Amino acid sequence: MYPEEMVLPMRAELAEVGFQELYTAADVENAIKAEGTTLVIVNSVCGCAARNARPGARMSLDGAKKPDHLVTVFAGVDKDAVDAARQHMFPFPPSSPSMALFKNGELVHMLERHHIEGRPAEMIAENLKGAYAEFC
C-alpha cells in the first residue's frame, strides 16, 4: 500500500476537475449503479497514469458531451474500492491505470493499461470523447 501523503497530488489531479474519490466497495456499487453514465478511473502511481491517463481523462471533459458521474479509485491504496470496481469491469483483467464507462450500471467502454501506456494523452482523450458521443 502506498502512503496517503504520496498519492495526494495524484488524487488531486482528478478531484480538481470533478472526479469523486471512492474509498469503499459500497461507494463503488452506488456510483456504478447510478442512473446515467459513470466514468470510473482506476488511478495509479505509475508513469503512464501521470503522463497519459490523468491528463487524457482531464482533456476528455472539454467537449459538449461528458459522463453524468465522474469517479475514481486508487490502485495500491483503496483496495476494497478497487476490487469492487474491477469486478464490474469483468471480463477485462485487472490493470492500472484503466478507465471504464458505465451506462445505467452496464460496462459500455473500456480502456485497459495497454490502451493507455505509450499513447499520448490527446489520443486517450479522443477515445473517451468518442465513447461519450456514443453513450452519453
Side-chain angles (χ1 to χ4, degrees):
M1 297 295 245
Y2 298 106
E4 184 61 32
E5 58 274 4
M6 179 180 156
V7 301
L8 281 175
M10 297 170 215
R11 287 186 189 276
E13 284 184 64
L14 295 177
E16 66 190 17
V17 294
F19 280 84
Q20 177 188 359
E21 297 176 49
L22 306 179
Y23 301 101
T24 69
D27 291 342
V28 170
E29 295 300 322
N30 291 333
I32 288 176
K33 292 179 180 175
E35 188 173 322
T37 52
T38 303
L39 179 63
V40 178
I41 296 190
V42 178
N43 202 349
S44 174
V45 299
C46 70
C48 65
R51 216 172 19 261
N52 313 80
R54 290 190 299 268
R58 291 171 58 107
M59 286 183 227
S60 78
L61 301 175
D62 67 9
K65 288 197 168 191
K66 51 190 108 178
D68 299 310
H69 312 283
L70 304 169
V71 300
T72 182
V73 296
F74 209 106
V77 181
D78 308 322
K79 182 177 178 0
D80 292 341
V82 171
D83 289 348
R86 286 177 172 161
Q87 287 177 3
H88 288 278
M89 296 173 187
F90 183 81
F92 297 96
S95 68
S96 56
S98 61
M99 304 175 181
L101 184 65
F102 294 86
K103 184 169 186 172
N104 299 322
E106 179 186 344
L107 179 63
V108 294
H109 188 75
M110 183 75 188
L111 285 173
E112 299 173 82
R113 180 184 176 103
H114 70 88
H115 297 121
I116 296 168
E117 190 173 30
R119 293 190 173 61
E122 295 82 5
M123 183 181 285
I124 293 162
E126 288 306 312
N127 180 294
L128 289 171
K129 286 180 182 182
Y132 303 162
E134 184 175 350
F135 299 108
C136 297

